[in-house]
Amino acid sequence: MADDILETFFQYLLQTKREPANAIIDEWAKERSYREAVFKILEPALVRFGEKWSTEEDVSLAQGYIAAKIAEDIMTKAAMERPMDVEPESKGPVVIGNIEDDYHALGRKLVVIFLRSAGWKVYDLGNDVIAGDLIDKAVQVGAKVVGASAMMYTTAVNVKKLRKEIDSRGLSGRVKLAVGGAVFNLRPELVGEVGGDGTARNALAVPELMERLYDEASKG
Amino acid sequence: MNGMERVMAAMNGRPANRRAVSLVLSLYGARLTKCPLKLYYTDPAAYARGQSAVYNTFKPDILFAPFALPFEGEAFGSRVRYFEDQPPNLASPAINSADEIGRLCVPDIEDHPKLNFFRESIRLMAKEHGRDVPIAAIVLDPIGLSAMIMGLDGWLNTLLFDGEGVKRMLNLVIPYFADRANALLEEGASFIVIPGAVANPMIVSRSIVETTALPVLREAYALVNGPIVMHSGGAPLAPFIDMFTGLPNVAGFVLNGGDNLVRARDAAGRKALLIGNVDGPTLSKRSPEAIRSECMDVLLNRENDPCFILGTSGADIAYDTPPENIHAFLNAAEEEGGMATF
């Protein structure tokens, strides 16, 4: 039964069918809970979707966008449930933003949704964020990972300023730098060039990256 | 042979004295003339001077009109930001959703200062170089233009969930697109390059491309009075090129960096012009020898393909790219010229 619903839900994700995807979860949650649906349906479906997105060329940004919207819908419903048996946003915090001069917001917005869906506390500083502001926020909230998004090469090089800011404040090793965006997929060597500690091929792979970087930062 | 003759030869599958070369050096003209970018992207004479410097320095086989797509959004009310070392970028869209389409005012092709910048730049470039080298005008298709006006997330949301909103938006932008493309051709552009960054199955789904984008492109491209070259816009194109080959007036494709050239040729057919596919924006990060080697690999791959132009893929070649890197690119074509068998 659960496998059938998981498969149907996964197909709705692929077909960008937001309403039917919500409806099937609403029906499931009537006799269980949205929180259970998150763990038993949403998360496994997103993992499968993420694998497909990373490896196959016919999964589109639009499908990722709708998957994020559906995840957000279900997480919102789960958050409304009382009593909650698990504290939401139990991981993190992390600070993210589009790097200085970059205004391509969609990828960052998807990352925020998928991170929050995976239980991360996220401080999203928006577009065109200068390095100092990202690090100020990370220090203020105790974030061990800072994420910088850039779509094009011309803006990706500004991530170097973030690396410099981390190093000059003596935070190397204790604050890790995640980088992402289309240009890093096209030119993976750019991750090292700008001083990144890691990247993810798409928004759904970011929670796993954050787990790894957070662990590394915790070990110092 | 001059650039015009080489490019025409490639478009028609005829032999040339060497492979034609296309380098996206729209931005680079500002470096050569030491022109501040705010002036470069607002004064047609400054832009045309920059392109003359590009031509005189490198002798590329194609010159590019301003590669400043955000200005098309700005003409509809989007906000644009200027930079010191890169082209202008969209800072915020004119509207955020289909609910606000009623607020949009379609700019006057004849009279809008930002649109006149493109027209006047092309007029000046054509007057100076139009007999020697083709001038490529870069125009957003109606699907991409809508994203530039509404922002990508607002437009995706509309494409996915609001069929009526899609119709209202496209009713505004399709006639505008055709008028604008034809105006640029009248000023002296040789062909229209259209970045298909949104109408691509990697961005919207394949079903949206098939059911929404292709009918729109078919209608819009048929209204253009000249050849169209579809540009990957930074997304893989080779896997989907067969979807676009039958569109009206489409003469060829600029491939994405990383696109498989053999696959692209198989899908595009024997006669379609293909351009590519050395990544342009990161030319600055490689040595001249590495660039030459990469170009030679591309040329070897296409050695018997007369409808191929060696070119950069992606956006503009970066401002800080050393001139010797660009010369290395050109030298590869010169070097191959002697052994070309096509």
Side-chain angles (χ1 to χ4, degrees), chain A residues 16 18 56-63 65-66 69 101-104 106 109 127-128 152-155 158 160 186-187 193, chain B residues 81 83 86 89-91 152-153 156-157 160-161 201-205 239-240 256-257 263 279 281-282 284-286 294 315 318:
Chain A
T16 63
R18 187 174 179 178
E56 296 180 20
E57 62 192 14
D58 62 348
V59 177
S60 68
L61 179 65
Q63 286 164 292
Y65 173 79
I66 293 307
K69 291 289 181 189
D101 296 343
D102 196 284
Y103 291 89
H104 298 89
L106 185 58
K109 289 178 181 176
N127 286 336
D128 183 27
M152 300 170 75
Y153 180 76
T154 46
T155 53
N158 285 338
K160 288 179 184 173
L186 186 65
R187 292 264 165 199
E193 266 177 45
Chain B
R81 190 178 150 193
F83 299 92
Q86 59 173 303
N89 207 343
L90 190 73
L152 185 55
D153 38 358
L156 272 184
N157 209 45
L160 288 161
F161 301 118
M202 291 290 283
I203 307 299
V204 296
S205 64
F240 317 110
N256 200 40
R263 185 179 184 181
D279 188 53
T282 53
S284 61
K285 306 311 293 182
R286 281 165 279 167
E294 192 175 348

Short mmCIF file of all heavy atoms in Angstrom, two decimals, chain A residues 16 18 56-63 65-66 69 101-104 106 109 127-128 152-155 158 160 186-187 193, chain B residues 81 83 86 89-91 152-153 156-157 160-161 201-205 239-240 256-257 263 279 281-282 284-286 294 315 318:
data_model
loop_
_atom_site.label_atom_id
_atom_site.label_comp_id
_atom_site.label_asym_id
_atom_site.label_seq_id
_atom_site.Cartn_x
_atom_site.Cartn_y
_atom_site.Cartn_z
N THR A 16 4.84 17.00 -12.68
CA THR A 16 4.55 18.36 -12.16
C THR A 16 3.06 18.52 -11.81
O THR A 16 2.46 19.56 -12.06
CB THR A 16 4.99 19.46 -13.14
OG1 THR A 16 4.26 19.35 -14.36
CG2 THR A 16 6.48 19.40 -13.44
N ARG A 18 0.88 19.17 -9.08
CA ARG A 18 0.91 19.62 -7.69
C ARG A 18 -0.37 19.24 -6.93
O ARG A 18 -0.31 18.76 -5.80
CB ARG A 18 1.12 21.14 -7.67
CG ARG A 18 1.34 21.72 -6.30
CD ARG A 18 1.66 23.20 -6.42
NE ARG A 18 1.87 23.86 -5.15
CZ ARG A 18 2.20 25.15 -5.03
NH1 ARG A 18 2.36 25.89 -6.12
NH2 ARG A 18 2.36 25.69 -3.84
N GLU A 56 19.93 11.89 -15.07
CA GLU A 56 19.24 11.80 -16.36
C GLU A 56 19.03 13.18 -16.95
O GLU A 56 18.78 14.14 -16.22
CB GLU A 56 17.90 11.08 -16.19
CG GLU A 56 18.10 9.63 -15.74
CD GLU A 56 16.79 8.88 -15.55
OE1 GLU A 56 15.77 9.31 -16.12
OE2 GLU A 56 16.81 7.89 -14.82
N GLU A 57 19.11 13.27 -18.27
CA GLU A 57 19.11 14.59 -18.90
C GLU A 57 17.71 15.13 -19.17
O GLU A 57 17.57 16.26 -19.59
CB GLU A 57 19.90 14.54 -20.20
CG GLU A 57 19.34 13.61 -21.25
CD GLU A 57 20.31 13.38 -22.40
OE1 GLU A 57 21.50 13.72 -22.25
OE2 GLU A 57 19.87 12.88 -23.41
N ASP A 58 16.68 14.31 -18.92
CA ASP A 58 15.36 14.82 -19.26
C ASP A 58 14.53 15.21 -18.02
O ASP A 58 13.31 15.30 -18.09
CB ASP A 58 14.59 13.82 -20.12
CG ASP A 58 14.37 12.51 -19.41
OD1 ASP A 58 15.00 12.30 -18.35
OD2 ASP A 58 13.56 11.71 -19.90
N VAL A 59 15.20 15.46 -16.90
CA VAL A 59 14.50 16.02 -15.74
C VAL A 59 14.78 17.52 -15.73
O VAL A 59 15.93 17.95 -15.76
CB VAL A 59 14.97 15.38 -14.42
CG1 VAL A 59 14.28 16.03 -13.25
CG2 VAL A 59 14.67 13.88 -14.44
N SER A 60 13.72 18.29 -15.71
CA SER A 60 13.88 19.73 -15.92
C SER A 60 13.89 20.53 -14.62
O SER A 60 13.48 20.03 -13.57
CB SER A 60 12.73 20.24 -16.79
OG SER A 60 11.51 20.16 -16.08
N LEU A 61 14.34 21.77 -14.76
CA LEU A 61 14.26 22.69 -13.63
C LEU A 61 12.81 22.88 -13.19
O LEU A 61 12.53 22.99 -11.99
CB LEU A 61 14.87 24.05 -14.05
CG LEU A 61 14.85 25.15 -13.01
CD1 LEU A 61 15.72 24.81 -11.81
CD2 LEU A 61 15.30 26.47 -13.61
N ALA A 62 11.89 22.90 -14.14
CA ALA A 62 10.47 23.07 -13.79
C ALA A 62 9.99 21.92 -12.91
O ALA A 62 9.22 22.14 -11.96
CB ALA A 62 9.63 23.14 -15.06
N GLN A 63 10.44 20.71 -13.21
CA GLN A 63 10.05 19.58 -12.36
C GLN A 63 10.63 19.73 -10.96
O GLN A 63 9.95 19.45 -9.97
CB GLN A 63 10.51 18.26 -13.01
CG GLN A 63 9.66 17.87 -14.21
CD GLN A 63 10.33 16.81 -15.06
OE1 GLN A 63 11.35 17.06 -15.69
NE2 GLN A 63 9.76 15.62 -15.10
N TYR A 65 11.30 22.56 -9.57
CA TYR A 65 10.56 23.67 -8.98
C TYR A 65 9.24 23.18 -8.37
O TYR A 65 8.89 23.54 -7.25
CB TYR A 65 10.30 24.71 -10.09
CG TYR A 65 9.42 25.87 -9.73
CD1 TYR A 65 9.92 26.95 -9.01
CD2 TYR A 65 8.08 25.91 -10.14
CE1 TYR A 65 9.10 28.03 -8.71
CE2 TYR A 65 7.27 26.98 -9.84
CZ TYR A 65 7.78 28.03 -9.12
OH TYR A 65 6.97 29.10 -8.82
N ILE A 66 8.54 22.35 -9.13
CA ILE A 66 7.26 21.85 -8.62
C ILE A 66 7.47 20.88 -7.47
O ILE A 66 6.72 20.88 -6.49
CB ILE A 66 6.44 21.20 -9.75
CG1 ILE A 66 6.04 22.27 -10.75
CG2 ILE A 66 5.20 20.49 -9.22
CD1 ILE A 66 5.35 23.47 -10.14
N LYS A 69 7.80 22.95 -4.54
CA LYS A 69 6.52 23.52 -4.11
C LYS A 69 5.69 22.47 -3.38
O LYS A 69 5.05 22.75 -2.36
CB LYS A 69 5.74 24.04 -5.34
CG LYS A 69 6.34 25.27 -5.98
CD LYS A 69 6.15 26.46 -5.08
CE LYS A 69 6.73 27.72 -5.71
NZ LYS A 69 6.74 28.86 -4.77
N ASP A 101 26.59 40.47 -6.71
CA ASP A 101 26.30 40.72 -8.13
C ASP A 101 25.43 39.65 -8.79
O ASP A 101 25.12 39.75 -9.97
CB ASP A 101 27.58 40.87 -8.99
CG ASP A 101 28.41 42.07 -8.61
OD1 ASP A 101 27.88 42.96 -7.92
OD2 ASP A 101 29.59 42.12 -8.98
N ASP A 102 25.05 38.61 -8.07
CA ASP A 102 24.25 37.55 -8.69
C ASP A 102 22.78 37.70 -8.28
O ASP A 102 22.46 37.81 -7.10
CB ASP A 102 24.75 36.16 -8.28
CG ASP A 102 24.20 35.08 -9.19
OD1 ASP A 102 23.01 34.73 -9.05
OD2 ASP A 102 24.95 34.62 -10.06
N TYR A 103 21.92 37.66 -9.31
CA TYR A 103 20.48 37.86 -9.08
C TYR A 103 19.64 36.67 -9.52
O TYR A 103 18.43 36.79 -9.65
CB TYR A 103 20.02 39.12 -9.83
CG TYR A 103 20.56 40.40 -9.27
CD1 TYR A 103 21.77 40.92 -9.72
CD2 TYR A 103 19.89 41.10 -8.27
CE1 TYR A 103 22.29 42.10 -9.20
CE2 TYR A 103 20.39 42.27 -7.74
CZ TYR A 103 21.59 42.78 -8.22
OH TYR A 103 22.10 43.93 -7.70
N HIS A 104 20.26 35.56 -9.79
CA HIS A 104 19.51 34.39 -10.27
C HIS A 104 18.99 33.60 -9.06
O HIS A 104 19.66 32.72 -8.54
CB HIS A 104 20.40 33.53 -11.17
CG HIS A 104 20.84 34.26 -12.40
ND1 HIS A 104 21.99 35.01 -12.42
CD2 HIS A 104 20.27 34.40 -13.61
CE1 HIS A 104 22.11 35.57 -13.63
NE2 HIS A 104 21.07 35.21 -14.36
N LEU A 106 16.24 31.62 -8.42
CA LEU A 106 15.41 30.43 -8.36
C LEU A 106 16.12 29.24 -7.72
O LEU A 106 15.56 28.56 -6.87
CB LEU A 106 14.92 30.06 -9.76
CG LEU A 106 13.93 28.89 -9.81
CD1 LEU A 106 12.69 29.17 -8.97
CD2 LEU A 106 13.53 28.59 -11.24
N LYS A 109 16.26 29.58 -4.02
CA LYS A 109 14.95 29.37 -3.39
C LYS A 109 14.63 27.88 -3.27
O LYS A 109 14.08 27.43 -2.27
CB LYS A 109 13.87 30.09 -4.20
CG LYS A 109 13.93 31.61 -4.07
CD LYS A 109 12.84 32.25 -4.93
CE LYS A 109 12.89 33.77 -4.84
NZ LYS A 109 11.90 34.41 -5.75
N ASN A 127 19.43 37.83 -2.72
CA ASN A 127 20.31 38.08 -3.87
C ASN A 127 21.42 39.06 -3.54
O ASN A 127 21.27 39.89 -2.62
CB ASN A 127 19.51 38.68 -5.03
CG ASN A 127 18.63 37.67 -5.71
OD1 ASN A 127 18.88 36.47 -5.67
ND2 ASN A 127 17.57 38.17 -6.34
N ASP A 128 22.50 39.00 -4.33
CA ASP A 128 23.54 40.04 -4.32
C ASP A 128 24.03 40.32 -2.89
O ASP A 128 24.00 41.45 -2.42
CB ASP A 128 22.97 41.32 -4.96
CG ASP A 128 24.00 42.44 -5.07
OD1 ASP A 128 25.20 42.14 -5.15
OD2 ASP A 128 23.57 43.61 -5.07
N MET A 152 26.49 32.33 -13.14
CA MET A 152 27.43 32.56 -14.24
C MET A 152 28.85 32.70 -13.73
O MET A 152 29.08 33.04 -12.57
CB MET A 152 27.02 33.82 -15.01
CG MET A 152 25.62 33.71 -15.58
SD MET A 152 25.03 35.25 -16.23
CE MET A 152 25.97 35.34 -17.74
N TYR A 153 29.78 32.52 -14.65
CA TYR A 153 31.19 32.59 -14.27
C TYR A 153 31.56 33.96 -13.70
O TYR A 153 32.29 34.06 -12.72
CB TYR A 153 32.06 32.27 -15.48
CG TYR A 153 33.53 32.34 -15.16
CD1 TYR A 153 34.15 31.31 -14.46
CD2 TYR A 153 34.28 33.46 -15.51
CE1 TYR A 153 35.47 31.38 -14.12
CE2 TYR A 153 35.62 33.53 -15.18
CZ TYR A 153 36.21 32.49 -14.48
OH TYR A 153 37.53 32.58 -14.15
N THR A 154 31.00 34.99 -14.31
CA THR A 154 31.36 36.35 -13.90
C THR A 154 31.00 36.63 -12.45
O THR A 154 31.65 37.42 -11.79
CB THR A 154 30.67 37.39 -14.80
OG1 THR A 154 29.30 37.03 -14.95
CG2 THR A 154 31.34 37.48 -16.15
N THR A 155 29.94 36.00 -11.97
CA THR A 155 29.58 36.22 -10.57
C THR A 155 30.18 35.15 -9.66
O THR A 155 30.47 35.41 -8.49
CB THR A 155 28.05 36.27 -10.38
OG1 THR A 155 27.47 35.10 -10.96
CG2 THR A 155 27.47 37.50 -11.03
N ASN A 158 33.18 35.91 -7.60
CA ASN A 158 33.04 36.69 -6.36
C ASN A 158 33.01 35.81 -5.12
O ASN A 158 33.15 36.31 -4.00
CB ASN A 158 31.77 37.55 -6.42
CG ASN A 158 31.95 38.75 -7.35
OD1 ASN A 158 33.07 39.17 -7.61
ND2 ASN A 158 30.84 39.28 -7.85
N LYS A 160 35.27 33.94 -4.34
CA LYS A 160 36.63 34.03 -3.78
C LYS A 160 36.69 35.00 -2.61
O LYS A 160 37.45 34.81 -1.66
CB LYS A 160 37.61 34.51 -4.86
CG LYS A 160 37.92 33.48 -5.93
CD LYS A 160 38.88 34.08 -6.95
CE LYS A 160 39.14 33.13 -8.09
NZ LYS A 160 39.93 33.75 -9.17
N LEU A 186 28.82 23.01 -14.94
CA LEU A 186 29.50 23.04 -16.23
C LEU A 186 31.01 22.94 -16.06
O LEU A 186 31.69 22.29 -16.85
CB LEU A 186 29.13 24.34 -16.96
CG LEU A 186 29.62 24.50 -18.39
CD1 LEU A 186 28.96 23.46 -19.30
CD2 LEU A 186 29.29 25.89 -18.93
N ARG A 187 31.52 23.60 -15.03
CA ARG A 187 32.97 23.64 -14.79
C ARG A 187 33.27 23.23 -13.35
O ARG A 187 33.51 24.07 -12.49
CB ARG A 187 33.50 25.06 -15.02
CG ARG A 187 33.44 25.51 -16.46
CD ARG A 187 34.77 25.28 -17.14
NE ARG A 187 34.66 25.36 -18.57
CZ ARG A 187 35.56 24.84 -19.40
NH1 ARG A 187 36.59 24.21 -18.93
NH2 ARG A 187 35.40 24.95 -20.69
N GLU A 193 38.70 26.40 -7.49
CA GLU A 193 39.29 27.70 -7.87
C GLU A 193 38.78 28.84 -6.99
O GLU A 193 39.52 29.76 -6.66
CB GLU A 193 38.91 28.04 -9.32
CG GLU A 193 39.94 27.63 -10.34
CD GLU A 193 39.44 27.93 -11.75
OE1 GLU A 193 38.90 29.02 -11.99
OE2 GLU A 193 39.57 27.04 -12.60
N ARG B 81 20.95 46.25 -13.48
CA ARG B 81 22.11 46.80 -12.78
C ARG B 81 23.34 46.73 -13.68
O ARG B 81 23.56 45.75 -14.39
CB ARG B 81 22.37 45.98 -11.51
CG ARG B 81 23.39 46.64 -10.63
CD ARG B 81 23.64 45.89 -9.35
NE ARG B 81 25.01 46.13 -8.96
CZ ARG B 81 25.67 45.47 -8.03
NH1 ARG B 81 25.08 44.51 -7.38
NH2 ARG B 81 26.91 45.76 -7.74
N PHE B 83 27.59 46.92 -14.22
CA PHE B 83 28.80 46.49 -13.51
C PHE B 83 30.03 47.09 -14.18
O PHE B 83 29.94 47.61 -15.29
CB PHE B 83 28.90 44.96 -13.54
CG PHE B 83 27.75 44.27 -12.86
CD1 PHE B 83 26.64 43.89 -13.57
CD2 PHE B 83 27.78 44.03 -11.50
CE1 PHE B 83 25.57 43.27 -12.95
CE2 PHE B 83 26.72 43.41 -10.85
CZ PHE B 83 25.61 43.02 -11.59
N GLN B 86 31.43 43.37 -16.30
CA GLN B 86 30.57 42.37 -16.92
C GLN B 86 29.32 43.05 -17.47
O GLN B 86 29.00 44.18 -17.06
CB GLN B 86 30.20 41.27 -15.92
CG GLN B 86 29.48 41.77 -14.69
CD GLN B 86 28.99 40.63 -13.81
OE1 GLN B 86 28.23 39.77 -14.24
NE2 GLN B 86 29.42 40.63 -12.56
N ASN B 89 22.96 43.18 -15.79
CA ASN B 89 22.18 42.01 -15.40
C ASN B 89 20.84 42.46 -14.83
O ASN B 89 20.69 43.59 -14.39
CB ASN B 89 22.95 41.20 -14.35
CG ASN B 89 22.56 39.73 -14.39
OD1 ASN B 89 21.53 39.36 -14.96
ND2 ASN B 89 23.39 38.90 -13.80
N LEU B 90 19.89 41.54 -14.86
CA LEU B 90 18.56 41.84 -14.34
C LEU B 90 18.60 41.84 -12.82
O LEU B 90 18.99 40.86 -12.20
CB LEU B 90 17.57 40.77 -14.83
CG LEU B 90 16.10 41.05 -14.59
CD1 LEU B 90 15.59 42.13 -15.53
CD2 LEU B 90 15.27 39.78 -14.81
N ALA B 91 18.20 42.95 -12.21
CA ALA B 91 18.17 43.02 -10.75
C ALA B 91 16.80 42.65 -10.21
O ALA B 91 16.69 41.99 -9.18
CB ALA B 91 18.56 44.42 -10.29
N LEU B 152 12.11 34.26 -13.54
CA LEU B 152 12.00 32.86 -13.93
C LEU B 152 10.98 32.11 -13.06
O LEU B 152 10.20 31.30 -13.57
CB LEU B 152 13.37 32.17 -13.85
CG LEU B 152 13.42 30.72 -14.34
CD1 LEU B 152 12.89 30.58 -15.77
CD2 LEU B 152 14.84 30.18 -14.27
N ASP B 153 10.96 32.37 -11.76
CA ASP B 153 10.03 31.59 -10.94
C ASP B 153 8.58 31.97 -11.21
O ASP B 153 7.71 31.11 -11.29
CB ASP B 153 10.36 31.62 -9.44
CG ASP B 153 10.84 32.94 -8.95
OD1 ASP B 153 10.98 33.87 -9.75
OD2 ASP B 153 11.08 33.06 -7.74
N LEU B 156 7.76 30.38 -14.62
CA LEU B 156 7.60 28.93 -14.50
C LEU B 156 6.24 28.60 -13.89
O LEU B 156 5.52 27.71 -14.34
CB LEU B 156 8.70 28.34 -13.61
CG LEU B 156 10.01 27.92 -14.27
CD1 LEU B 156 10.92 27.28 -13.23
CD2 LEU B 156 9.79 26.96 -15.42
N ASN B 157 5.91 29.34 -12.84
CA ASN B 157 4.63 29.11 -12.17
C ASN B 157 3.47 29.33 -13.15
O ASN B 157 2.50 28.57 -13.15
CB ASN B 157 4.52 30.08 -10.99
CG ASN B 157 3.68 29.52 -9.88
OD1 ASN B 157 3.83 28.36 -9.50
ND2 ASN B 157 2.77 30.33 -9.38
N LEU B 160 3.30 26.50 -15.74
CA LEU B 160 2.86 25.22 -15.19
C LEU B 160 1.40 25.22 -14.78
O LEU B 160 0.73 24.20 -14.86
CB LEU B 160 3.73 24.86 -13.99
CG LEU B 160 5.16 24.44 -14.33
CD1 LEU B 160 6.08 24.55 -13.12
CD2 LEU B 160 5.18 23.02 -14.87
N PHE B 161 0.89 26.37 -14.34
CA PHE B 161 -0.43 26.35 -13.68
C PHE B 161 -1.45 27.34 -14.22
O PHE B 161 -2.57 27.36 -13.74
CB PHE B 161 -0.26 26.62 -12.18
CG PHE B 161 0.62 25.63 -11.49
CD1 PHE B 161 1.79 26.03 -10.88
CD2 PHE B 161 0.29 24.29 -11.48
CE1 PHE B 161 2.62 25.12 -10.26
CE2 PHE B 161 1.11 23.37 -10.86
CZ PHE B 161 2.27 23.78 -10.25
N PRO B 201 14.10 21.56 -22.64
CA PRO B 201 13.58 20.55 -21.72
C PRO B 201 14.37 20.41 -20.41
O PRO B 201 13.88 19.77 -19.48
CB PRO B 201 13.67 19.25 -22.54
CG PRO B 201 13.59 19.70 -23.95
CD PRO B 201 14.34 21.00 -23.98
N MET B 202 15.58 20.98 -20.34
CA MET B 202 16.30 20.98 -19.06
C MET B 202 15.74 22.06 -18.12
O MET B 202 15.99 22.02 -16.92
CB MET B 202 17.79 21.26 -19.28
CG MET B 202 18.54 20.15 -19.98
SD MET B 202 18.73 18.69 -18.95
CE MET B 202 20.05 19.22 -17.85
N ILE B 203 15.04 23.02 -18.66
CA ILE B 203 14.52 24.11 -17.83
C ILE B 203 13.03 23.91 -17.60
O ILE B 203 12.59 23.75 -16.46
CB ILE B 203 14.78 25.49 -18.50
CG1 ILE B 203 16.27 25.63 -18.84
CG2 ILE B 203 14.31 26.62 -17.58
CD1 ILE B 203 17.21 25.57 -17.67
N VAL B 204 12.24 23.97 -18.64
CA VAL B 204 10.85 23.57 -18.50
C VAL B 204 10.78 22.10 -18.93
O VAL B 204 11.72 21.57 -19.47
CB VAL B 204 9.91 24.44 -19.36
CG1 VAL B 204 9.96 25.87 -18.87
CG2 VAL B 204 10.28 24.37 -20.82
N SER B 205 9.70 21.44 -18.65
CA SER B 205 9.67 20.01 -18.98
C SER B 205 9.51 19.82 -20.49
O SER B 205 9.10 20.72 -21.21
CB SER B 205 8.49 19.34 -18.25
OG SER B 205 7.28 19.88 -18.72
N PRO B 239 20.95 17.06 -26.87
CA PRO B 239 19.96 16.00 -26.67
C PRO B 239 18.56 16.36 -27.18
O PRO B 239 17.72 15.48 -27.32
CB PRO B 239 19.94 15.81 -25.15
CG PRO B 239 21.18 16.44 -24.64
CD PRO B 239 21.49 17.54 -25.59
N PHE B 240 18.33 17.65 -27.42
CA PHE B 240 16.96 18.08 -27.75
C PHE B 240 16.87 18.78 -29.10
O PHE B 240 15.84 19.30 -29.46
CB PHE B 240 16.45 19.03 -26.66
CG PHE B 240 16.78 18.59 -25.27
CD1 PHE B 240 17.72 19.26 -24.50
CD2 PHE B 240 16.17 17.47 -24.73
CE1 PHE B 240 18.04 18.84 -23.22
CE2 PHE B 240 16.48 17.03 -23.46
CZ PHE B 240 17.42 17.72 -22.70
N ASN B 256 25.99 24.07 -26.75
CA ASN B 256 26.48 24.37 -25.41
C ASN B 256 27.84 23.73 -25.20
O ASN B 256 28.16 22.71 -25.82
CB ASN B 256 25.48 23.81 -24.39
CG ASN B 256 25.63 24.48 -23.04
OD1 ASN B 256 25.83 25.70 -22.96
ND2 ASN B 256 25.52 23.72 -21.97
N GLY B 257 28.66 24.29 -24.34
CA GLY B 257 29.90 23.64 -23.96
C GLY B 257 29.56 22.27 -23.37
O GLY B 257 28.67 22.16 -22.54
N ARG B 263 26.49 13.74 -31.79
CA ARG B 263 25.06 13.60 -31.48
C ARG B 263 24.28 14.81 -32.02
O ARG B 263 23.19 14.67 -32.57
CB ARG B 263 24.89 13.50 -29.96
CG ARG B 263 23.47 13.24 -29.51
CD ARG B 263 23.40 13.13 -27.99
NE ARG B 263 22.05 12.80 -27.56
CZ ARG B 263 21.71 12.66 -26.29
NH1 ARG B 263 22.61 12.81 -25.33
NH2 ARG B 263 20.46 12.38 -25.96
N ASP B 279 33.79 26.56 -24.39
CA ASP B 279 33.16 27.49 -23.44
C ASP B 279 33.85 28.86 -23.45
O ASP B 279 35.05 28.96 -23.18
CB ASP B 279 33.20 26.89 -22.03
CG ASP B 279 32.38 27.72 -21.05
OD1 ASP B 279 31.20 27.97 -21.34
OD2 ASP B 279 32.93 28.13 -20.01
N PRO B 281 33.02 31.96 -21.65
CA PRO B 281 33.25 32.74 -20.43
C PRO B 281 34.49 32.32 -19.64
O PRO B 281 35.05 33.11 -18.89
CB PRO B 281 31.97 32.50 -19.63
CG PRO B 281 30.93 32.22 -20.66
CD PRO B 281 31.65 31.46 -21.74
N THR B 282 34.92 31.05 -19.80
CA THR B 282 36.07 30.60 -19.03
C THR B 282 37.35 30.52 -19.87
O THR B 282 38.35 29.95 -19.42
CB THR B 282 35.80 29.22 -18.39
OG1 THR B 282 35.36 28.32 -19.41
CG2 THR B 282 34.72 29.31 -17.34
N SER B 284 39.33 32.73 -20.19
CA SER B 284 40.35 33.47 -19.44
C SER B 284 41.13 32.57 -18.49
O SER B 284 42.23 32.91 -18.06
CB SER B 284 39.70 34.60 -18.63
OG SER B 284 38.77 34.06 -17.71
N LYS B 285 40.57 31.40 -18.15
CA LYS B 285 41.20 30.56 -17.13
C LYS B 285 42.14 29.52 -17.72
O LYS B 285 42.75 28.75 -16.99
CB LYS B 285 40.12 29.82 -16.30
CG LYS B 285 39.06 30.70 -15.70
CD LYS B 285 39.62 31.88 -14.95
CE LYS B 285 40.40 31.50 -13.71
NZ LYS B 285 40.89 32.72 -13.02
N ARG B 286 42.19 29.46 -19.05
CA ARG B 286 43.04 28.45 -19.67
C ARG B 286 44.24 29.09 -20.37
O ARG B 286 44.20 30.27 -20.70
CB ARG B 286 42.22 27.64 -20.67
CG ARG B 286 41.36 26.58 -19.98
CD ARG B 286 40.29 26.04 -20.90
NE ARG B 286 39.16 26.95 -20.96
CZ ARG B 286 38.18 26.88 -21.84
NH1 ARG B 286 38.21 25.96 -22.77
NH2 ARG B 286 37.17 27.73 -21.82
N GLU B 294 42.12 22.46 -27.31
CA GLU B 294 40.68 22.19 -27.24
C GLU B 294 40.02 22.50 -28.59
O GLU B 294 39.16 21.75 -29.08
CB GLU B 294 40.03 23.02 -26.13
CG GLU B 294 38.62 22.58 -25.83
CD GLU B 294 37.99 23.31 -24.64
OE1 GLU B 294 38.73 24.00 -23.89
OE2 GLU B 294 36.77 23.21 -24.48
N ALA B 315 27.90 32.57 -22.68
CA ALA B 315 27.76 34.01 -22.71
C ALA B 315 29.06 34.65 -23.25
O ALA B 315 29.90 33.99 -23.85
CB ALA B 315 27.45 34.52 -21.31
N ALA B 318 34.96 36.67 -21.22
CA ALA B 318 35.10 37.55 -20.05
C ALA B 318 36.04 38.73 -20.32
O ALA B 318 36.97 38.64 -21.14
CB ALA B 318 35.61 36.74 -18.86
#
